[in-house]
Amino acid sequence: MLRIASIRGSLFQIVPPRGHRDRCTRWSLTGIRRLAFITVVAAASAQVLPAQPPPSTSSEQSSSEQSSSEQSSSEQSSSEQSSSEPPSTTEPTSATGSGNVPPPTPEQLELLNGRDGRELLLRNFRPKSQLVVAEHPRQAAAMPVVDVHTHLHYRMRDSEQALDDFVQLMDRNNIAVCVSLDGKLGDQLDHHMEYLWSRHRDRFAVFANVNWRGNAPMDEPALWPCHREGFAQRTAEALERAAKRGISGLKLFKRFGLGYRNPDGTLIKIDDPRWDPIWEKCGELGLPVIIHTADPAAFFEPIDETNERWEELSRHPDWSFYGDEFPSREELLAARNRVIAKHPKTRFIGAHIANSAEDLETVGRWLDEYPNLWIEPASRIGELGRQPFTARDFLIRYQDRLLFGTDGPWPETRLRLYWRFFETRDESFPYSEKVPPPQGLWQIYGVDLPPEVLRKLYHENAAKLIPGIAPRLRAWRQTAAESQHSSAGAVPASAKPDATDR
């Protein structure tokens, strides 16, 4: 039998204090949690195995008192620990006295299922809703869709079969065009354009990426091309050549601000004036810039019992940006907004609802202040759907600044949840096909957007904003109409031209 060393440590992830953490520490948390789980397994086993006689000494606390004492003292510094608490370096020990305890087996962890009075691991929590409400699942979007946020290089890895399968999925779901954001300037852009356009040019547009580090090692930023004189101007010239070949915009990943570094080891700043020629050239060429800045608010908070994304962060501790190693979320978003304000002739798309889907009032202020800013909801219906009244009012108010995105390709089940979210007023349904859901343990509610707002969201705004979308929409409608005519003699409403095609 194992002695319970810390109930608090067994139920919550152990995180070092602010300012004493780095990437290595974050990755080591998995090992720490494994030790913590052992104490929980012991607690569960104690409820299914015969109890052992307690020690005869009267000075020892009961297990419940000890747990309470340890939970309280664990929040103190080591110098403040009570004398009754075991030293922080003491490892859990078995009944035989061995100090090396093997990690819990899957069978042991399975004991922590909440059954028969046992404890329940958060990862094993699988609540089944007892609600009986109307359901209106969607098999396809109600009208043609342009998905402006997909990652066809990083998710498909140049598989021809995967691409053909995805095109069939697009057909089934009424997706006319997808924008792949994975065209890093250089060989990757060349290969990606060939991969998508050799057989499906009318179905895919491509955004380029800045090649900040070239072929240099990630841990040697002094060798990266972006730190050489004239880099921004050379990148602007490369974008001009790429635009002549048909690219439709520029994508910036979140490493811009959270990962890419200067030669001295500091993080590259989003609003560094060195990059101004790039944004100016995009404005000159009419190429929109989709920018992923920061991440969900919970990723910048301690990973503790108050963090609403604890389950997700426990699986991906490297997604946390809490601590002095990183800029604050507010700093990052403010730097992005300064770039948007400084370049009013350049059109920016704030990926993931400008990465503030938790605070739509603030996003609304940004949209009011920056007329050159648009937004899209990729991987954020989980946030929008838990505030359906606020989200619906917001989406209707800013209907001319909305684009549609998914962050896919995703399984078809998840795509159809997007249609259900935007097109119905269904209650309490999942935002993902995964169990548990990947971005918070909650359900969502549909916003039932009016048809005129859906049209703008799904394709009209994209056709106006992004070069190359309108002609692709025309080609898709023509193909759809010809297919329908040959098979049934009728042209569906979704294949008829509208103002965005002209």
Side-chain angles (χ1 to χ4, degrees):
M1 293 292 295
L2 304 179
R3 185 175 180 180
I4 301 176
S6 171
I7 290 295
R8 184 175 189 272
S10 71
L11 296 180
F12 299 102
Q13 186 177 25
I14 301 172
V15 178
R18 183 180 177 93
H20 295 277
R21 190 168 135 222
D22 56 19
R23 288 280 181 182
C24 181
T25 303
R26 240 186 352 271
W27 278 107
S28 71
L29 293 178
T30 301
I32 297 173
R33 287 199 310 278
R34 289 173 66 185
L35 287 176
F37 283 146
I38 296 172
T39 64
V40 191
V41 173
S45 300
Q47 299 181 56
V48 296
L49 297 176
Q52 300 296 317
S56 60
T57 58
S58 60
S59 60
E60 183 173 350
Q61 297 172 310
S62 69
S63 61
S64 61
E65 291 171 340
Q66 183 179 14
S67 300
S68 176
S69 171
E70 289 168 357
Q71 180 165 343
S72 175
S73 61
S74 68
E75 296 173 358
Q76 303 171 348
S77 65
S78 58
S79 63
E80 297 173 326
Q81 289 178 337
S82 64
S83 59
S84 62
E85 182 185 9
S88 60
T89 55
T90 300
E91 295 183 355
T93 57
S94 68
T96 61
S98 172
N100 297 320
V101 181
T105 66
E107 291 76 15
Q108 289 172 320
L109 291 178
E110 190 66 27
L111 289 172
L112 303 175
N113 55 17
R115 300 172 186 173
D116 302 320
R118 292 192 289 273
E119 294 290 340
L120 173 67
L121 279 184
L122 182 61
R123 65 168 62 178
N124 293 337
F125 186 49
R126 298 291 187 275
K128 293 183 178 181
S129 175
Q130 302 300 313
L131 284 178
V132 180
V133 293
E135 297 182 1
H136 305 89
R138 291 291 191 263
Q139 300 303 309
M143 53 193 70
V145 168
V146 175
D147 186 342
V148 306
H149 193 141
T150 65
H151 295 287
L152 299 173
H153 170 72
Y154 294 110
R155 296 193 189 276
M156 291 188 174
R157 295 296 179 182
D158 298 334
S159 166
E160 296 291 342
Q161 184 60 57
L163 183 61
D164 290 342
D165 292 344
F166 183 62
V167 170
Q168 293 177 28
L169 178 148
M170 291 169 65
D171 291 341
R172 291 193 299 270
N173 284 270
N174 216 10
I175 301 174
V177 183
C178 282
V179 178
S180 178
L181 304 179
D182 298 346
K184 184 167 67 176
L185 290 168
D187 290 344
Q188 181 173 309
L189 175 61
D190 296 339
H191 295 154
H192 198 46
M193 292 168 70
E194 181 180 359
Y195 170 62
L196 294 177
W197 290 354
S198 61
R199 291 180 295 122
H200 302 291
R201 181 161 187 151
D202 286 341
R203 304 300 297 275
F204 298 103
V206 177
F207 274 36
N209 316 137
V210 177
N211 193 350
W212 300 99
R213 66 184 184 95
N215 296 320
M218 190 69 185
D219 60 353
E220 295 189 47
L223 302 180
W224 297 0
C226 65
H227 299 305
R228 300 174 192 157
E229 187 175 354
F231 169 79
Q233 186 57 45
R234 290 191 295 274
T235 298
E237 293 168 357
L239 284 170
E240 187 165 11
R241 292 192 296 271
K244 292 178 180 178
R245 298 173 59 197
I247 67 137
S248 296
L250 178 70
K251 165 66 191 286
L252 296 168
F253 294 92
K254 69 179 175 184
R255 280 186 173 180
F256 182 54
L258 280 172
Y260 296 130
R261 296 187 178 271
N262 292 306
D264 63 1
T266 60
L267 288 165
I268 286 176
K269 293 187 178 299
I270 294 171
D271 59 344
D272 191 320
R274 287 183 293 172
W275 323 129
D276 283 349
I278 299 174
W279 322 137
E280 291 166 3
K281 178 59 69 173
C282 287
E284 175 188 324
L285 297 172
L287 298 177
V289 179
I290 183 167
I291 179 169
H292 178 153
T293 303
D295 249 347
F299 289 14
F300 291 81
E301 298 293 329
I303 308 177
D304 61 17
E305 71 277 12
T306 68
N307 194 310
E308 66 178 355
R309 305 281 280 269
W310 187 95
E311 193 278 331
E312 178 183 11
L313 290 167
S314 74
R315 290 182 284 108
H316 303 284
D318 56 311
W319 290 2
S320 173
F321 297 104
Y322 173 72
D324 295 335
E325 180 185 353
F326 301 103
S328 71
R329 185 167 175 270
E330 292 72 23
E331 289 177 75
L332 292 165
L333 296 173
R336 178 202 64 193
N337 291 350
R338 286 192 290 272
V339 173
I340 296 171
K342 188 176 182 180
H343 300 278
K345 295 183 179 179
T346 303
R347 297 169 293 182
F348 292 86
I349 303 168
H352 313 294
I353 309 290
N355 249 327
S356 287
E358 309 94 332
D359 184 1
L360 296 180
E361 183 178 356
T362 294
V363 179
R365 288 199 298 270
W366 294 340
L367 291 169
D368 292 338
E369 185 173 355
Y370 310 118
N372 57 329
L373 174 63
W374 281 256
I375 56 173
E376 56 85 17
S379 290
R380 292 300 181 270
I381 63 170
E383 291 289 352
L384 296 175
R386 61 175 176 154
Q387 48 179 328
F389 306 129
T390 298
R392 188 176 195 274
D393 291 345
F394 173 86
L395 295 169
I396 291 175
R397 177 176 179 179
Y398 295 103
Q399 60 187 271
D400 293 323
R401 311 284 284 283
L402 304 176
L403 304 167
F404 179 83
T406 64
D407 213 6
W410 294 122
E412 196 159 14
T413 301
R414 188 179 304 192
L415 272 181
R416 290 172 173 172
L417 293 172
Y418 276 84
W419 320 141
R420 188 178 179 186
F421 169 66
F422 285 114
E423 297 178 21
T424 79
R425 57 197 301 270
D426 281 3
E427 302 171 284
S428 193
F429 61 93
Y431 61 85
S432 169
E433 77 290 350
K434 292 185 176 180
V435 178
Q439 296 177 314
L441 303 178
W442 52 73
Q443 302 281 75
I444 64 171
Y445 297 74
V447 291
D448 191 22
L449 293 179
E452 63 272 17
V453 178
L454 279 178
R455 276 194 295 273
K456 292 177 180 180
L457 168 71
Y458 279 168
H459 66 269
E460 285 185 352
N461 292 343
K464 295 175 182 176
L465 180 69
I466 302 175
I469 296 300
R472 286 179 169 88
L473 267 175
R474 287 196 297 269
W476 180 86
R477 290 186 187 276
Q478 182 176 353
T479 300
E482 291 172 353
S483 176
Q484 288 290 330
H485 181 76
S486 62
S487 61
V491 178
S494 62
K496 296 178 181 177
D498 59 25
T500 61
D501 294 333
R502 295 190 281 273

